[in-house]
Amino acid sequence: MRRLLTTLMILLVVLVAGLSALVMLVNPNDFRAYMVREVEARSGYQLKLDGPLRWHVWPQLSILSGRMSLTAPGATDALVSADNMRLDVALWPLLSHQLQVQQVMLKGAVIQLTPQSEARRPENAPVGPRDTVPHQDTDPRWSFDIARLKVADSLLVFQHEGDEQVTVRNINIDMEQNDKRQASIELSGRITRDQRDLTLAMSASLDRSDYPQRLTADISQLGWQLRGAGLPQDGISGQASFQALWQEPVKKLSFSNLALTANDSALKGEGSVVLDDTPRWMLDLRFDKLNLENLLASDAAAGTTPAQKGQQAMPVRARPVISAEAEHDDYQMLRGFIADARLKANSVRWRGLDFTQVNAVMKNNAGLLEIGTLDGVLGNGRLSLPGKLDARSAQPSAAFRPAIDNIEIGSVLKAFNYPIALTGAFSLRGDFAGDRIDALAFRDGWRGEATIEMANSRMEGLNFQQLVQQAVERSSSNVSAQQNYDNATSLASFSASARLNNGQLRLDQMKGESAMLALDGNGLLDLVKEQCDTRFNVRVTDGWKGDSDLIARLKKTAVPLRVYGPWQQLSYSLEVDQVLRKQLQDEAKRRLNEWADRHKNNEKSKDVKELIDKL
């Protein structure tokens, strides 16, 4: 045992002595010019190393440098710059004075993918014939041939020409590749923008054996969390995995086997984009569950009626308005791409409504969005909402043709915070147009026409039958009404013709029937001020007791009823006295006419006729 320890100590001393001798014999600065020359020969990039290079022996033989930068040809800003760089090198090649870098490590680096860091052709550079291909596109010499790259606590600045900068902070990258140009990558970072914070962590494998013609990636795990303004209080977080393929000849990026979760929502699908001057997207996405309530902030302005504004218990931080965005008109982003999308969802929850079997087919042609199919099941009913949005001009325009069958109207009114106590199976066919697609815009600025039908409707707060019968009881002692303590009007069927014009909903040709009454009429609803002024002609066909002749006439007599005022405090007026007076006048005329007809030869017959004309 003692001999073994002695042997190990001797070997350790020899190793330390050898490394020390190597450090003393080989000056790392001798490789400075070589590294600069090789980088420029392989890529055209300029490598700049400030300060002397020095050895670092333990635990890995490395070369340490001071500040470094890597700049593309003709660029004004460096592509990569760092305060410190470490090059882990192989030991044995150094014996023959050769540099073999096994790992590059950058700490506190700044990576700039901006127009200022892109390679640019010199102003006086000669221009070759159009049919020739630039040398850098066909020469495959420049590639990442280092076995391992580590980037710690670094910063990435990304910007397209004319767009805002996106900054990714706290970047940590660990990439390792083999001799077949297959790499594994571990990456994490954080993006802060518009008072929102996105944290990412990714594990992936990369195959660049056919690069630059073809590049494949397998994202085995992508964890993310998004918090900040305009989002739910707990933010949005989830996991994702997918395979990606880049095809250089056709500039096409495809993804498949996508599996993504966001809070309690789950998505699968595949898609692609061809990066032409106008990108072309193809998407086929399937949601097992899509809970928009956990993905969108409960914005008070989006679904709150004017009377309810400012009464929210927990105000949500509004997303800041960026001045650059405010100058653009709505939906401008639709002009920048072409897309065909198919979306399916087993279940969708939105504003407290639970939809099932949702299906959508949409096409966008550089600003003209056509929704050929958008339908789903809600409760025992079904709705379809095909239409289009034209955003190609400065003033966008939208048009939709809703078709609704047997949807419970009470749940819809509650979802959009309308204080109307109305229930029933609602059906609609119509055409509507406006300039923005949201609830407030529909209330304020949309126009259109529709036919409306309702089955088994019930409106709380007013009992039309009871109002008419009680008024008749007060005006006549010959009839009475059956006791009815239900403070609601129920109709087995109801229909109307509706016209919407900038917040004013006009209802014409209203007709309703039940076992107890029948009505018709028209009215106006102010969706902005939440007021109404409706006029009905109500016939109570059952529930009477008393004079049978008078009851028979009352069943055939329509009583004018006006309902008006704020939705939450409705008022009404009845014209029962005028109706009963007319009933008495008609009855008197009838009896006098009968007497005059029976006594035509009587001298008083002429006086009776004159009296009838005066009634």
Side-chain angles (χ1 to χ4, degrees), residues 310-329:
Q311 300 179 5
Q312 299 296 320
M314 295 184 61
V316 179
R317 280 191 302 162
R319 187 178 180 185
V321 178
I322 308 302
S323 59
E325 296 177 354
E327 298 174 357
H328 299 302
D329 58 304

Side-chain angles (χ1 to χ4, degrees), residues 90-107:
L91 175 61
W92 297 114
L94 287 176
L95 299 178
S96 57
H97 215 77
Q98 295 180 354
L99 181 66
Q100 180 178 339
V101 179
Q102 295 178 325
Q103 174 176 280
V104 176
M105 181 174 180
L106 301 176
K107 186 175 180 61

Side-chain angles (χ1 to χ4, degrees), residues 60-296:
Q60 168 71 39
L61 182 60
S62 307
I63 297 176
L64 301 182
S65 76
R67 182 169 181 80
M68 61 80 61
S69 63
L70 186 66
T71 306
T76 57
D77 293 345
L79 176 67
V80 180
S81 60
D83 293 332
N84 297 285
M85 180 176 68
R86 191 184 82 191
L87 305 177
D88 295 343
V89 299
L91 175 61
W92 297 114
L94 287 176
L95 299 178
S96 57
H97 215 77
Q98 295 180 354
L99 181 66
Q100 180 178 339
V101 179
Q102 295 178 325
Q103 174 176 280
V104 176
M105 181 174 180
L106 301 176
K107 186 175 180 61
V110 178
I111 306 169
Q112 297 190 85
L113 301 178
T114 65
Q116 292 75 24
S117 65
E118 291 181 354
R120 297 181 183 274
R121 181 188 296 271
E123 294 183 1
N124 299 324
V127 179
R130 292 186 179 182
D131 57 349
T132 61
V133 181
H135 177 71
Q136 61 265 27
D137 291 343
T138 57
D139 192 348
R141 290 181 301 164
W142 172 241
S143 63
F144 179 78
D145 293 327
I146 300 172
R148 191 169 185 181
L149 170 68
K150 294 189 70 173
V151 178
D153 301 329
S154 298
L155 182 74
L156 169 65
V157 179
F158 179 81
Q159 182 186 25
H160 277 301
E161 187 76 38
D163 293 340
E164 290 187 55
Q165 284 189 354
V166 177
T167 302
V168 186
R169 304 178 186 276
N170 301 336
I171 289 183
N172 292 279
I173 302 174
D174 190 347
M175 182 168 67
E176 186 174 1
Q177 69 171 346
N178 57 27
D179 55 357
K180 296 181 180 179
R181 306 177 77 184
Q182 296 171 339
S184 61
I185 304 174
E186 299 284 339
L187 181 147
S188 63
R190 180 171 59 88
I191 303 174
T192 301
R193 187 183 184 192
D194 296 349
Q195 297 185 13
R196 293 182 175 181
D197 189 89
L198 175 62
T199 304
L200 298 170
M202 182 183 72
S203 298
S205 59
L206 187 70
D207 186 350
R208 60 185 193 91
S209 56
D210 295 331
Y211 183 81
Q213 300 300 314
R214 180 186 177 95
L215 182 67
T216 60
D218 184 357
I219 314 299
S220 58
Q221 184 176 6
L222 174 62
W224 57 279
Q225 184 176 49
L226 181 63
R227 293 175 177 269
L231 296 171
Q233 184 177 5
D234 296 332
I236 305 173
S237 60
Q239 301 284 333
S241 62
F242 60 94
Q243 285 82 49
L245 169 64
W246 169 253
Q247 296 170 282
E248 174 65 25
V250 292
K251 306 294 183 182
K252 183 177 181 179
L253 176 64
S254 307
F255 66 88
S256 59
N257 298 325
L258 171 65
L260 181 145
T261 62
N263 291 347
D264 60 344
S265 299
L267 166 67
K268 295 182 179 180
E270 47 274 337
S272 65
V273 56
V274 178
L275 299 179
D276 288 338
D277 293 336
T278 302
R280 301 193 307 274
W281 286 87
M282 295 285 292
L283 297 174
D284 187 357
L285 305 178
R286 300 173 295 279
F287 295 87
D288 181 56
K289 179 181 180 181
L290 177 59
N291 188 350
L292 294 174
E293 293 184 351
N294 286 344
L295 301 178
L296 304 175

